[in-house]
Structure formats: structure tokens, C-alpha cells
Amino acid sequence: MLVRVLFFSIAAAFLIAVLIAPLFIPILRRLKFGQEIRKEGPKGHQKKAGTPTMGGIIILLALTFTVIKFTNQSVEIFLLLFITLGYGLIGFLDDFIKIVMKRNLGLTAKQKLFGQLVIGAVFYYVLVRNGYDTSISVPGTGWGMDIGWLYFPLVLIMTIGASNAVNLTDGLDGLLAGTSAIAFSAYAVIAWMTSQMNIAIFSAAVVGAVLGFLVFNAHPAKVFMGDTGSLALGGAIAGIAILTKTEILLVIIGGVFVMEALSVIIQVISYKTRKKRVFRMSPLHHHYELGGWSEWRVVVTFWFAGLICASLGVYIEVLS
């Protein structure tokens, strides 16, 4: 029964995204919500300037409608919708300021961090008020411990870290849509194995929504998700990892996102301390582009890496 519901959730979210995207993209184009391309980025990306962005709204609409239709009202669903839509709102404001108000950097780093902290704190407050476990366990082992109040900073680190890591991955046509579909598929399987029906359906709905979006985001992209979509997806995957008690496992399942974030951190530290770059350009996907790989080759390779990470994560969870 649950497998059938998961299938219908994926199908419904996919169809909603595919149906509303052709209506939504022309609106974004008429409103001139076009992507601005960094001058210091790969030269081949300059031709993408003006491609409609903020397409993450398509993903969020498809996801929300599907979740409301197929899940029961529960604290888990409230928390997941709250953190997903909350982070999506931060991304929307960031996109809006960059595109409409012509302020290149959008929200300041402090403004964005403040919003992320507030949403993460509310998420944690509702979590503990409803008696959720504050323990963590090592994947693949029977060892775990209750970390008490330390779970609060862990939640903040996970939500902020995941949203920013996922955001950094959104740099090539179809890259984030594909890798996120793979990662959320892994979490749908994990939630299904642990009989967390609502979380499994939510994860499946994300898969359907991003795959529907991918139809229009694959190379050459007709629309970008922008921070509206990438920050929302990052918040969602962190929320799912917390609710399924796979906090540490997120590092493995989201291995591609972790590598992208680490490449930026390493690059910044190396340049500030040694005045040398480790990578041709960060995030990591640009390093391979500047090395001569085609955009499609980079994307497919990263999808494959994401599939390996997700499969490994599910396998480790099975051992637990």
C-alpha cells in the first residue's frame, strides 16, 4: 500500500511541475526575472544570461500540493513544510533583491544567516516541544548517545550547512535537480524501511517535483530554480535527516553537496593564507568545466557520484 502511495506521490508532483512550468516560465520572462551571470565564471555561461530564474517556485508548488493531498496532518509534515517553505522564502527574497532591485549580491550574508538561524531555531523548538529524541547514532553501528542541549547547535549547523551546500551545487543545467532527486530518493527508501510513512511520501514528492522541473532545467535550461529552490531543497533534506535520525548519514547521502561546499572552503582558505588556488575555480563543478569537460559530462558524472553516495547511505542504514 505504501509503495503505491509513494509512486502516486512521485507521479502527482511530477505532473504538477510539468503542467505549471509552461505557464510559469513565460510569466517569469515577461517580468524580466532573468538570471545574471558572474563575469568571473566560465565564459560559456555568459550565453545563459537572461534565462528565467526563481523557478524553484514551480518545485515548491508541486511539492506542497502533493504533500497536502497524500499525507496525514502531523508534526513531521508541519516541520518539513515549515523549513522547506521558510528557506524557500529566504531564497525568494534573495532572488527578488538581485533581479528586481538590481542589487547583485541580494540579501547580505548577515541577513541570510539571520533568517536561516531563526527558521532553524523554530524547527528545533517545535521538535523538542513534541518530545522528539535528541540522541545521535553512528551509522552502521548500534552505538548512540543522547547529546541533550547540544542537539540545538547541531540542528542549526545541519540546516544552515545543508541549505548553503545545496545552494552551491546549483551551478550547471540540471546538476542540482538530478543530484537532489537521487538524494531524496534515498531518504524515501530509508523512511519507508523505518515505517515513517509521511516522511517517505514527502521525500517522494520532492523527487517528483524536481524531476518535473528537470524537464525544463536540463541542458540547455529553459529555467533556473534560483536560491528559491536550492535553499528550500537544502532545508528539506536537513529536516528529513533530523526526523529520520540519520543526522550523520546525511554527510554520505549528500556527498556531492558536501564536496561542493568543501571545495569552496578549501579554495577560500588556500587563497587567503597562501595566495594560491587549489582548484581552477570553485565550486567543484566549475573546476572540471575549466579543465575542458563539457557541461553535460560534468553533470552526468556528478549524478553518478550522487547515486553512489545515496546507494552507500541506504546500504549503511540497512546494516543498522
Side-chain angles (χ1 to χ4, degrees):
M1 179 64 180
L2 177 54
V3 174
R4 185 184 303 174
V5 175
L6 293 179
F7 173 79
F8 284 133
S9 299
I10 294 173
F14 177 85
L15 287 174
I16 292 172
V18 167
L19 290 174
I20 65 176
L23 304 175
F24 200 75
I25 294 173
I27 295 174
L28 292 174
R29 190 175 289 113
R30 282 197 297 270
L31 292 174
K32 297 183 179 179
F33 285 0
Q35 179 73 41
E36 293 187 8
I37 305 298
R38 292 189 303 167
K39 292 182 180 179
E40 64 271 21
K43 293 181 180 179
H45 286 213
Q46 296 304 316
K47 61 185 179 182
K48 300 181 181 184
T51 302
T53 188
M54 298 173 72
I57 296 174
I58 297 168
I59 297 172
L60 295 179
L61 288 174
L63 169 64
T64 303
F65 288 143
T66 303
V67 168
I68 291 174
K69 171 65 177 177
F70 287 98
T71 63
N72 301 318
Q73 293 183 355
S74 67
V75 175
E76 293 96 338
I77 291 302
F78 168 78
L79 284 169
L80 290 176
L81 284 176
F82 171 76
I83 197 167
T84 303
L85 298 179
Y87 273 63
L89 177 60
I90 294 173
F92 175 84
L93 292 174
D94 193 42
D95 288 334
F96 187 85
I97 292 170
K98 282 188 287 190
I99 298 166
V100 179
M101 300 180 69
K102 306 300 180 184
R103 198 167 82 190
N104 289 339
L105 297 178
L107 291 172
T108 65
K110 289 183 179 179
Q111 289 171 334
K112 189 181 293 186
L113 179 60
F114 177 76
Q116 292 172 318
L117 284 170
V118 169
I119 293 172
V122 173
F123 181 91
Y124 171 81
Y125 176 78
V126 176
L127 197 71
V128 297
R129 286 283 294 179
N130 283 273
Y132 278 83
D133 192 1
T134 55
S135 65
I136 59 171
S137 58
V138 177
T141 73
W143 185 87
M145 65 177 293
D146 191 335
I147 59 174
W149 65 270
L150 288 174
Y151 200 72
F152 176 55
L154 176 63
V155 167
L156 295 183
I157 291 170
M158 286 183 64
T159 53
I160 295 171
S163 63
N164 289 323
V166 171
N167 178 247
L168 289 170
T169 307
D170 186 27
L172 300 178
D173 296 355
L175 176 58
L176 178 54
T179 51
S180 61
I182 293 167
F184 280 100
S185 294
Y187 271 112
V189 172
I190 289 172
W192 170 69
M193 290 192 306
T194 54
S195 301
Q196 295 175 284
M197 182 173 180
N198 278 337
I199 299 176
I201 294 171
F202 184 95
S203 302
V206 178
V207 174
V210 293
L211 288 179
F213 179 79
L214 181 59
V215 172
F216 304 90
N217 182 239
H219 186 72
K222 299 179 179 64
V223 64
F224 300 136
M225 69 173 69
D227 287 2
T228 306
S230 59
L231 289 181
L233 291 175
I237 199 167
I240 291 171
I242 292 167
L243 291 173
T244 54
K245 304 306 299 176
T246 55
E247 297 91 346
I248 298 176
L249 202 61
L250 176 59
V251 177
I252 298 174
I253 293 175
V256 170
F257 311 137
V258 174
M259 289 187 293
E260 293 274 37
L262 284 177
S263 70
V264 173
I265 294 170
I266 293 169
Q267 187 87 321
V268 171
I269 292 175
S270 177
Y271 189 76
K272 286 189 174 182
T273 57
R274 304 187 301 140
K275 299 299 179 183
K276 292 183 179 180
R277 292 181 172 87
V278 176
F279 305 101
R280 299 181 186 95
M281 184 178 179
S282 64
L284 189 59
H285 53 263
H286 289 320
H287 171 78
Y288 291 104
E289 264 197 300
L290 295 180
W293 287 24
S294 68
E295 182 171 350
W296 182 240
R297 181 184 176 186
V298 177
V299 170
V300 172
T301 302
F302 275 53
W303 284 357
F304 183 69
L307 181 60
I308 293 174
C309 291
S311 301
L312 179 60
V314 172
Y315 176 72
I316 292 173
E317 179 64 16
V318 170
L319 292 180
S320 301

